[in-house]
């Protein structure tokens, strides 16, 4: 039992929602409970071969894992609290990062299903690509659907891509969100460790535009507005219980906050991409570097860089063509 974990305040229900499928967990604590139950079931050990011997064709067909659909509401009060947490100005549309949080508990129901073969605790969020097809207003009634798009191989293990989509009441697709996760429970193709490679200095071709000073409690604050109550983000004590040296900032907190550096309305139509690198251990100082030359398609990008020129993330945004 973790006795020294600080007292935190998390919402018991992240949004006003009505499930159209089987009953799901209520809020972040319910989601965390589902994760714990999934881990306790030993799903990975019972379904995957010995470490380092997994082949792509040994993985399940994504179609065998049932998608989850759920009705949700883009609650205005919670959307405003999310915007304040990530430092976004009040805007006409709800923040794209908030739309991601609406999909998160639905996706977690997919990831904690009995048929899902990987442990959820320990999944590493590598990339996220989200598209706002049509901006969403506060208090809109929406439908979220999440499913496993594909499994794949990575030099460090197995990847899983989760696709979540949101439709408005008219049936129009307004948001799509594709998350790529890595499970390091299996080795690379030959089971051998991967040699480190030299990486270019992420500051090259970019200019310094600011610095964030992230306090030790930002993980708890973001958990309260996002519903992501993963213990590695909540306190140093709970993070150390899972093998971390300290608590980590949520990757999607950093991505959502960085989006505000690239576009005045973070809920505007467009595609928002983030690639995660070195974790941000709290408390932390993160320097923000804006890429000087936009991509050929007009996308602009900002990088979060820490000590030793370690890149924590790169976030880009592009308007629809």
């Amino acid at each position: 039992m973790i006795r020294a974990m600080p007292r935190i305040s998390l919402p018991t229900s992240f949004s006003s929602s009505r499930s159209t499928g089987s009953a799901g967990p209520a809020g972040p604590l319910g989601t965390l409970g589902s994760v714990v139950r999934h881990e306790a079931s030993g799903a990975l050990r019972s379904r995957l071969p010995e470490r380092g011997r997994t082949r792509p064709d040994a993985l399940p067909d994504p179609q065998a894992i049932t998608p989850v659909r759920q009705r949700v509401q883009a609650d205005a009060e919670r959307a405003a609290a999310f915007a304040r947490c990530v430092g976004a100005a009040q805007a006409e549309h709800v923040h794209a990062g908030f739309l991601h949080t609406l999909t998160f508990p639905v996706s977690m129901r997919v990831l904690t299903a009995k048929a899902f073969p990987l442990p959820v605790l320990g999944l590493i969020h590598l990339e996220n690509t989200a598209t706002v097809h049509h901006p969403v207003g506060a208090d809109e009634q929406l439908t979220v659907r999440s499913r496993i798009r594909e499994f794949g191989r990575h030099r460090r293990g197995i990847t899983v891509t989760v696709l979540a989509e949101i439709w408005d009441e008219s049936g129009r697709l307004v948001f799509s969100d594709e998350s790529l996760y890595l499970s390091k429970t299996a080795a690379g193709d030959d089971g051998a460790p991967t040699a480190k490679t030299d990486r270019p200095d992420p500051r090259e071709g970019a200019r310094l535009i600011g610095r964030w000073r992230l306090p030790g409690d930002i993980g708890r604050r973001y958990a309260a507005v996002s519903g992501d109550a993963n213990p590695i983000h909540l306190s140093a004590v709970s993070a150390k219980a899972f093998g971390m040296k300290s608590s980590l900032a949520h990757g999607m907190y950093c991505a959502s906050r960085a989006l505000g550096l690239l576009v005045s309305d973070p809920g505007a139509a467009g595609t928002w991409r983030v690639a995660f690198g070195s974790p941000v251990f709290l408390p932390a100082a993160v320097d923000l570097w804006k890429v000087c030359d936009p991509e050929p398609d007009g996308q602009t990008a900002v990088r979060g860089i820490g000590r030793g020129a370690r890149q924590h993330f790169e976030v880009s945004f592009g308007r629809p063509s």
Side-chain angles (χ1 to χ4, degrees):
M1 177 181 293
I2 300 173
R3 299 181 183 277
M5 184 184 292
R7 186 178 181 85
I8 59 174
S9 175
L10 295 175
T12 56
S13 61
F14 174 60
S15 63
S16 300
S17 62
R18 176 174 58 83
S19 172
T20 58
S22 59
L29 297 182
T31 299
L32 182 57
S34 294
V35 172
V36 172
R37 288 191 294 273
H38 182 268
E39 304 307 275
S41 70
L44 175 68
R45 289 182 293 276
S46 65
R47 289 174 169 83
L48 290 182
E50 183 181 353
R51 179 183 176 93
R53 296 183 183 276
T54 301
R55 303 182 329 181
D57 58 5
L59 296 173
D61 181 349
Q63 301 298 321
I65 302 172
T66 305
V68 175
R69 184 185 297 267
Q70 185 170 328
R71 291 275 290 169
V72 302
Q73 182 182 10
D75 180 81
E77 183 177 350
R78 198 164 302 284
F82 179 92
R84 289 192 297 271
C85 183
V86 300
Q90 186 173 0
E92 179 182 358
H93 309 114
V94 299
H95 196 294
F98 179 73
L99 294 177
H100 171 83
T101 69
L102 293 181
T103 70
F104 178 76
V106 184
S107 295
M108 288 304 298
R109 287 173 60 192
V110 176
L111 294 177
T112 56
K114 289 184 179 180
F116 186 72
L118 304 175
V120 179
L121 288 177
L123 282 180
I124 299 170
H125 199 172
L126 295 180
E127 300 175 6
N128 214 85
T129 301
T131 298
V132 177
H133 303 283
H134 300 280
V136 176
D139 288 326
E140 285 194 37
Q141 295 291 332
L142 306 165
T143 299
V144 177
R145 181 178 183 267
S146 182
R147 64 181 176 88
I148 302 299
R149 184 173 177 271
E150 64 181 5
F151 289 96
R153 294 302 304 273
H154 186 277
R155 60 185 175 82
R156 297 166 65 193
I158 300 170
T159 60
V160 58
T161 301
V162 182
L163 174 63
E165 297 169 305
I166 299 179
W167 289 267
D168 63 15
E169 284 195 286
S170 71
R172 179 178 62 173
L173 180 66
V174 295
F175 182 71
S176 56
D177 181 271
E178 195 169 283
S179 302
L180 177 67
Y181 297 99
L182 167 69
S183 174
K184 295 200 295 183
T185 54
D189 289 343
D190 57 2
T194 304
K196 293 184 178 179
T197 57
D198 292 333
R199 299 180 183 277
D201 189 327
R203 298 167 296 187
E204 293 181 4
R207 60 184 175 86
L208 183 65
I209 61 172
R211 169 175 286 188
W212 293 341
R213 295 192 181 276
L214 305 182
D217 70 343
I218 193 62
R220 296 192 293 278
R221 287 159 52 190
Y222 184 75
V225 298
S226 70
D228 185 350
N230 189 325
I232 66 173
H233 301 302
L234 300 183
S235 75
V237 173
S238 59
K240 287 177 181 178
F242 287 88
M244 302 294 173
K245 66 179 182 181
S246 182
S247 59
L248 284 68
H250 291 76
M252 291 305 291
Y253 163 81
C254 295
S256 297
R257 186 169 174 180
L259 181 60
L261 301 174
L262 296 174
V263 59
S264 58
D265 181 0
T271 296
W272 167 45
R273 294 185 175 90
V274 56
F276 297 110
S278 177
V280 179
F281 289 102
L282 298 172
V286 178
D287 290 333
L288 289 310
W289 292 73
K290 190 168 185 179
V291 177
C292 296
D293 296 323
E295 296 294 325
D297 59 2
Q299 286 195 354
T300 56
V302 63
R303 296 170 184 153
I305 301 174
R307 291 181 178 180
R310 292 183 177 179
Q311 182 167 307
H312 296 303
F313 57 83
E314 179 172 304
V315 176
S316 63
F317 178 81
R319 298 281 186 181
S321 56

